[in-house]
Amino acid sequence: MTEKPASHQQQPITALIMGANGFIGHRLIEHLLRHDDTQVIAIDLFDDRLTSFMNHPRFDFHRLDIAENFARLSKIAATVDVLLPLAAIACPSQYVADPLKVFELNFEQNLAYIRLCANTGTRLIFPSTSEVYGMSTTVPLDPDTTPLTMGPTHKSRWIYATSKALLERVIFGYGEKDKLDFTIFRPFNFIGGGQDQLQPGSKPRVVPQFLLNLALNQPLRLVNGGAQKRCLTAIEDGVEAIAAIIMDRTGRSRGLVLNIGNPANECSIRELAERLLARAAQHPVYQEAALAAHIVETDGATHFGTGYQDVERRVPDISHIRKALGWQPQQNIDQLLDAALEGYTDEFLALRNQATHQRDA
Ligand SMILES: NC(=O)c1ccc[n+]([C@@H]2O[C@H](COP(=O)([O-])OP(=O)(O)OC[C@H]3O[C@@H](n4cnc5c(N)ncnc54)[C@H](O)[C@@H]3O)[C@@H](O)[C@H]2O)c1
């Protein structure tokens, strides 16, 4: 490991964020530029959600593929305080549709940047996932004690979780061998504006999926009846937690695995669909579509493919991040659904208008 000068307490923290145009990336950058003393270097293949930051004096964007620009990104990484490798495939429909792509990007490409941090001494803040708990029935899920229970290898859904889980173990290995300074965080179902785009024919994550169905006058489809429960976490709460990890100059989060989720917001996917429709029915942009909408049931194999397998329940133990950084989620389910609806109004209207024109043509 090469020696780096210790960063001065008063200096802004320089963060290299890969996958910056993604859901967490662009919402995190919005938060950092507004609230924190940071300099952000952002990397992505796309920049459509970053345009409002382009002239910000503390923001610097490079359109680069992390798979093809390792040498160039290594030079940048060696100059920053913190690396957040957020570039990944993070949508369950794609774990089943293209498991090898998940392995190549989420595992192989990210491994290269983990090794880089071990070599340069750059602090690593690594996005793992609540999926690593797999089908564990422990309530709540504790990163220190809960066993990780993955499904069978022919169920390709688990390639995402096993890739992340193995990378966590590699990070711990470099922590011991090379004194890698790291924090791992596991997000639990972040929800909000700026998640996946509403593209006809795509299979985005659950809230944008329901909004896509609404925009196109399609039924909301509950996979396996929607009985599976999740703890919904407002993206605003989620990025505040990640920002607190970035800004942690005390080392209190060093070497920890931190769940980021809202245990008070547990609800079934059926309840999520019903509450989303109820909130949408009170919003002028969504009202007409929501009042006409209906809910149907489907099975996982039909919706995602045979490589899919479901997780019944997933409640985070958040005592570790509360103790280390004092973070506590704030938004309840209705608040986060209202914020998500607000965040999607422009896209929803554009898609609905487009669908209406096509019907009328
Ligand atoms: N959103 C959640 O609730 C959640 C939950 C658990 C874990 N995570 C993890 O957090 C991280 C970020 O998730 P997200 O929801 O923002 O994902 P996302 O899919 O919204 O964003 C990923 C970004 O990476 C970019 N990217 C992909 N390949 C790239 C490449 N080769 N070079 C450069 N950029 C590339 C994409 O363009 C995209 O902007 C991921 O590691 C994901 O596994 C997210």
Side-chain angles (χ1 to χ4, degrees), residues 190-239:
F190 288 3
I191 305 285
Q195 202 174 18
D196 306 320
Q197 281 166 351
L198 307 185
Q199 277 174 357
S202 69
K203 284 189 180 154
R205 287 170 275 191
V206 63
V207 167
Q209 175 68 67
F210 288 158
L211 296 180
L212 181 60
N213 295 141
L214 267 188
L216 301 177
N217 293 323
Q218 296 166 342
L220 276 57
R221 292 192 174 80
L222 299 181
V223 172
N224 298 334
Q228 62 280 37
K229 291 182 171 175
R230 296 290 184 272
C231 289
L232 310 181
T233 310
I235 183 68
E236 293 81 5
D237 285 335
V239 297

Side-chain angles (χ1 to χ4, degrees), residues 19 21-24 44 64-66 86 88 128 160 164 190 205:
N21 194 56
F23 176 40
I24 294 180
D44 207 294
L64 292 174
D65 184 333
I66 66 158
L86 301 178
S128 183
Y160 174 74
K164 292 278 192 186
F190 288 3
R205 287 170 275 191

Side-chain angles (χ1 to χ4, degrees), residues 78-146:
T79 67
V80 302
D81 297 304
V82 185
L83 170 64
L84 278 95
L86 301 178
I89 291 167
C91 185
S93 59
Q94 293 183 50
Y95 316 157
V96 177
D98 200 344
L100 290 181
K101 201 167 162 203
V102 173
F103 174 73
E104 286 159 12
L105 177 60
N106 295 17
F107 186 86
E108 291 186 310
Q109 293 308 326
N110 277 278
L111 176 59
Y113 291 98
I114 290 167
R115 287 193 166 130
L116 179 69
C117 287
N119 289 332
T120 56
T122 305
R123 183 173 170 230
L124 172 71
I125 299 180
F126 184 74
S128 183
T129 171
S130 56
E131 290 258 328
V132 297
Y133 292 108
M135 293 180 292
S136 176
T137 53
T138 309
V139 181
L141 297 161
D142 177 345
D144 292 337
T145 57
T146 301

Side-chain angles (χ1 to χ4, degrees), residues 157-178:
R157 181 231 167 92
W158 299 108
I159 197 155
Y160 174 74
T162 45
S163 295
K164 292 278 192 186
L166 184 51
L167 287 180
E168 286 198 26
R169 293 178 196 280
V170 170
I171 290 168
F172 270 95
Y174 282 118
E176 283 173 25
K177 179 174 161 280
D178 291 336

Side-chain angles (χ1 to χ4, degrees), residues 164-297:
K164 292 278 192 186
L166 184 51
L167 287 180
E168 286 198 26
R169 293 178 196 280
V170 170
I171 290 168
F172 270 95
Y174 282 118
E176 283 173 25
K177 179 174 161 280
D178 291 336
K179 305 282 172 273
L180 171 64
D181 179 354
F182 72 87
T183 305
I184 293 167
F185 63 92
R186 295 178 179 168
F188 280 65
N189 293 86
F190 288 3
I191 305 285
Q195 202 174 18
D196 306 320
Q197 281 166 351
L198 307 185
Q199 277 174 357
S202 69
K203 284 189 180 154
R205 287 170 275 191
V206 63
V207 167
Q209 175 68 67
F210 288 158
L211 296 180
L212 181 60
N213 295 141
L214 267 188
L216 301 177
N217 293 323
Q218 296 166 342
L220 276 57
R221 292 192 174 80
L222 299 181
V223 172
N224 298 334
Q228 62 280 37
K229 291 182 171 175
R230 296 290 184 272
C231 289
L232 310 181
T233 310
I235 183 68
E236 293 81 5
D237 285 335
V239 297
E240 191 179 277
I242 301 168
I245 299 171
I246 294 172
M247 299 311 293
D248 175 22
R249 297 178 194 258
T250 66
R252 277 198 286 265
S253 62
R254 182 174 178 157
L256 298 183
V257 180
L258 300 173
N259 286 340
I260 303 178
N262 191 336
N265 282 353
E266 188 175 27
C267 79
S268 70
I269 299 301
R270 175 176 289 279
E271 194 186 345
L272 165 62
E274 290 168 351
R275 288 175 82 154
L276 184 69
L277 285 182
R279 304 307 294 180
Q282 294 178 35
H283 192 295
V285 167
Y286 300 93
Q287 188 170 53
E288 186 195 347
L291 291 174
H294 63 288
I295 292 173
V296 297
E297 295 186 6

